[in-house]
Amino acid sequence: MRNPLLCLALATASPIASAEAAPHRFDHVVIVVEENRTAGEIIGDTVNAPYINTLAAEGVTIANIYGIEHPSQPNYLHLFSGGNHGVEDDNLPPSFSTTPTATYPFTARNLAAELIAAGFTFAGYSEDLDAAGAMDWADYDPHTATAPGVDYRRKHNPWANWIAKVSPLPSNQLPASVNRAFTQFPTDFTQLPTLSFVVPDQSHDMHNGSRKQGDDWLLANLNNYAQWARTHNSLLVITWDEDDYGATNQIPTVLYGANLRNGTITGGTWTLHNLLRTFEDMYGTTTHAGQAADVRSLVGPFTDDPAVAVATFRQGLNGYTGANDTMLIEDDPDADNSGNHDLKVDKDAGAAAGDQQAQSLVRFDNLFGNGTGQIPANALIHSAKLVLFTPANSTGNDNESNDTMRAHRMLADWNDSATWNSLAEGVSADNVEAVSGATFSVIPEVDAAPAIFDVTGDIDLFRASPAQNRGWLLRASSSGSGDGWVFKSSETTSDPTVRPTLEIVYSSPIASPFAAWAADNRLVAPDNTPTANPDGDTSDNLLEFAFNTQPKIPDSVPMLPGGTSGLPSAQY
């Protein structure tokens, strides 16, 4: 039992800064990856996806999460390893080899190898993997000509690219035992690996089959696990690889199981990289795969997550006027692009004149303070996304790009009227004008969709020292092909929602242990003060806190010396 006098002192203690906590650790996590649907095609459609919507209503929905690119295979690789490793289509990886003595194509860090190195277990269960008896399909894709009726596709099995054919295992590669058929998915769920993927075949993952077929398959094959998970510290995650190419690559994602804030929708903008980082942090891996190293975990779905707020900064949104952006063009070096111009980033904007660059600058001022819409100076930053919208290719302009675009934190001052010449031949990423290392890199190859740069670390820095906020340089990779990218500016008038946006997910520090206890017990005003008595049992919250009793459940009998429940009373 707490010492009540000590608790009275602690209840008024000053704030103490603390590091962000890891997500809740589950005994088992099962991740199902579905195919090619928008969030609107699933969430809320109780006719075509009744089971998934039941899970969403009783569990947690991640409302605003995105795939990384198109088509399917790169997104599976991003979710599993934080990058596409040069794979831009659904074909076998370019370095693929069936030679028995060869290592498999990739030796990069990946979630499975990280988990195994940390002492946990992993498996991927693919439907139809065992359709031809002993054949495991690891070395090729069994299309109709080679395996009629088999709807397994290797492009949906990312861990197959790390299955070693040599011993001892090369760094980051995996034993063949992790590549399993769905018929091996245990009925005794205690026998599941720590973390596993389940990939339905193309008839049941909504790729070839309907949404209803996919929904029915989930109900028939995974509902028993879902219900078991709720009482056995386990988790079911249902997510998608990408949308149907008809929208912004926003995907549905549902969490169901134990230790969740059931019935809630998690705010903020997230990507498959955040989902990967969540699993890495959940199990304390010592490394992070690919771009998972540059993002942070989801925050909001789990019961021990802090209460978070989402601040959105966009020119004209709720009266905000602090957005700045412009474009610097080497072959038009004195051009002032501060007006209503689409902004371009390119390695060779003026091909006739040689390698002529186009750079863009973006900044959001007045982020921190006590004003309306501002973030408190002592806030804990959980995630920050710079969202730049690629316009649709409706006039023949190729606005999206297959090249890598990089965001570098600016070190030099600038304003909207800056030009290539006024900034002395553009901006150099030289640790003088801009930081040499990119904060985040994106291949913005999805048309009419947001390009999402994670800038959490930079916003952390700006919070601690607002004077260092000079925004970002957007430039093309020097090793790119010269495939330029266009995004909308803050002066865009046709659709204000496509203006550059900075979104920050944050929480305010808990002021005292009492306030933390009140938050844990879901007490809200006016029932969260020390003198409030929400359960009406004559003991106010401060006494309930001191004696570790339930503030929402009346205590009707006195607590005995050494007891753990009952109405607090003085003991002599």
Side-chain angles (χ1 to χ4, degrees):
M1 186 186 303
R2 294 187 177 98
N3 181 319
L5 294 178
L6 176 61
C7 291
L8 288 172
L10 291 176
T12 57
S14 59
I16 299 175
S18 61
E20 188 165 0
H24 176 83
R25 180 173 293 182
F26 293 92
D27 294 338
H28 304 281
V29 174
V30 174
I31 307 158
V32 183
V33 186
E34 302 282 350
E35 280 281 308
N36 298 55
R37 299 292 174 178
T38 67
E41 288 177 309
I42 300 297
I43 304 301
D45 188 343
T46 57
V47 174
N48 290 296
Y51 177 61
I52 295 171
N53 277 277
T54 297
L55 298 180
E58 297 176 359
V60 174
T61 301
I62 311 300
N64 202 31
I65 184 169
Y66 290 81
I68 308 299
E69 51 183 304
H70 290 314
S72 290
Q73 184 166 227
N75 287 294
Y76 282 81
L77 292 169
H78 278 289
L79 176 57
F80 183 68
S81 64
N84 67 13
H85 312 289
V87 176
E88 298 177 354
D89 53 34
D90 286 335
N91 299 326
L92 290 174
S95 56
F96 177 80
S97 172
T98 59
T99 304
T101 58
T103 60
Y104 251 34
F106 305 135
T107 56
R109 291 172 180 165
N110 61 82
L111 178 58
E114 290 176 325
L115 289 169
I116 292 169
F120 300 100
T121 52
F122 171 88
Y125 297 93
S126 298
E127 189 183 16
D128 282 0
L129 190 68
D130 61 344
M135 180 65 71
D136 68 2
W137 310 114
D139 285 354
Y140 64 98
D141 208 353
H143 289 284
T144 303
T146 54
V150 174
D151 284 331
Y152 163 85
R153 293 294 179 265
R154 192 182 184 282
K155 64 185 178 181
H156 299 158
N157 182 350
W159 45 90
N161 295 298
W162 278 267
I163 303 294
K165 296 185 175 184
V166 294
S167 183
L169 290 177
S171 177
N172 295 322
Q173 293 208 328
L174 305 169
S177 59
V178 306
N179 194 32
R180 302 181 189 177
F182 184 66
T183 53
Q184 296 173 278
F185 193 84
T187 56
D188 176 359
F189 304 127
T190 65
Q191 299 305 304
L192 277 165
T194 308
L195 184 143
S196 57
F197 280 79
V198 168
V199 179
D201 69 23
Q202 292 202 139
S203 292
H204 299 134
D205 65 3
M206 305 189 188
H207 185 284
N208 294 347
S210 67
R211 285 172 286 171
K212 188 62 165 59
Q213 285 176 290
D215 191 80
D216 287 346
W217 189 92
L218 288 170
L219 174 61
N221 290 277
L222 286 169
N223 185 54
N224 286 343
Y225 169 75
Q227 302 312 317
W228 178 88
R230 288 175 77 91
T231 56
H232 290 83
N233 188 38
S234 295
L235 177 68
L236 172 66
V237 178
I238 303 174
T239 192
W240 272 252
D241 64 331
E242 58 182 337
D243 74 359
D244 61 358
Y245 286 71
T248 61
N249 216 16
Q250 183 181 357
I251 57 175
T253 298
V254 173
L255 280 61
Y256 189 87
N259 297 292
L260 296 174
R261 289 181 171 163
N262 292 327
T264 65
I265 298 173
T266 296
T269 295
W270 311 93
T271 71
L272 292 176
H273 292 146
N274 292 106
L275 198 54
L276 168 59
R277 178 62 182 256
T278 301
F279 301 133
E280 291 177 330
D281 288 350
M282 188 177 289
Y283 295 104
T285 64
T286 57
T287 61
H288 300 292
Q291 289 190 283
D294 301 320
V295 304
R296 294 189 186 172
S297 298
L298 295 170
V299 63
F302 310 112
T303 53
D304 48 2
D305 283 345
V308 298
V310 180
T312 302
F313 300 91
R314 181 193 304 139
Q315 193 76 355
L317 179 66
N318 298 324
Y320 178 72
T321 58
N324 303 271
D325 50 52
T326 193
M327 175 171 55
L328 316 175
I329 306 178
E330 187 174 6
D331 59 0
D332 194 0
D334 293 311
D336 179 346
N337 293 299
S338 59
N340 183 12
H341 297 273
D342 286 350
L343 303 177
K344 188 169 187 177
V345 182
D346 202 349
K347 177 177 175 246
D348 54 359
D355 260 0
Q356 305 294 297
Q357 294 184 62
Q359 303 173 337
S360 288
L361 304 174
V362 176
R363 187 179 73 248
F364 296 83
D365 295 332
N366 303 318
L367 301 176
F368 300 95
N370 298 318
T372 301
Q374 289 185 303
I375 299 168
N378 64 346
L380 180 63
I381 306 300
H382 299 283
S383 178
K385 297 291 197 299
L386 174 64
V387 182
L388 305 176
F389 195 89
T390 305
N393 182 3
S394 58
T395 61
N397 293 323
D398 188 11
N399 296 316
E400 53 85 25
S401 176
N402 290 309
D403 275 0
T404 299
M405 304 294 158
R406 307 192 188 282
H408 296 254
R409 180 167 57 84
M410 280 292 291
L411 299 173
D413 287 324
W414 59 277
N415 58 43
D416 280 4
S417 298
T419 68
W420 181 271
N421 277 345
S422 72
L423 290 178
E425 299 184 347
V427 178
S428 297
D430 57 0
N431 288 328
V432 176
E433 298 173 344
V435 174
S436 60
T439 296
F440 203 78
S441 298
V442 169
I443 301 175
E445 59 88 46
V446 183
D447 202 38
I452 302 172
F453 295 81
D454 195 294
V455 294
T456 309
D458 289 347
I459 296 301
D460 251 343
L461 176 66
F462 299 162
R463 181 198 59 77
S465 180
Q468 296 197 52
N469 176 12
R470 297 182 177 91
W472 296 274
L473 160 71
L474 282 301
R475 71 171 187 89
S477 170
S478 57
S479 60
S481 65
D483 185 12
W485 168 49
V486 174
F487 64 94
K488 303 301 288 185
S489 75
S490 293
E491 290 76 26
T492 297
T493 57
S494 57
D495 181 4
T497 66
V498 302
R499 294 172 181 166
T501 300
L502 179 64
E503 184 199 84
I504 302 173
V505 180
Y506 70 95
S507 61
S508 297
I510 298 296
S512 68
F514 171 82
W517 172 86
D520 286 344
N521 282 282
R522 304 291 185 265
L523 296 178
V524 297
D527 291 334
N528 60 352
T529 64
T531 57
N533 182 20
D535 57 12
D537 65 359
T538 75
S539 291
D540 61 28
N541 282 336
L542 193 57
L543 277 177
E544 301 263 19
F545 166 72
F547 285 90
N548 200 26
T549 52
Q550 295 294 323
K552 293 183 177 181
I553 302 174
D555 298 290
S556 58
V557 296
M559 179 183 290
L560 298 175
T564 59
S565 64
L567 188 65
S569 60
Q571 302 290 333
Y572 297 95

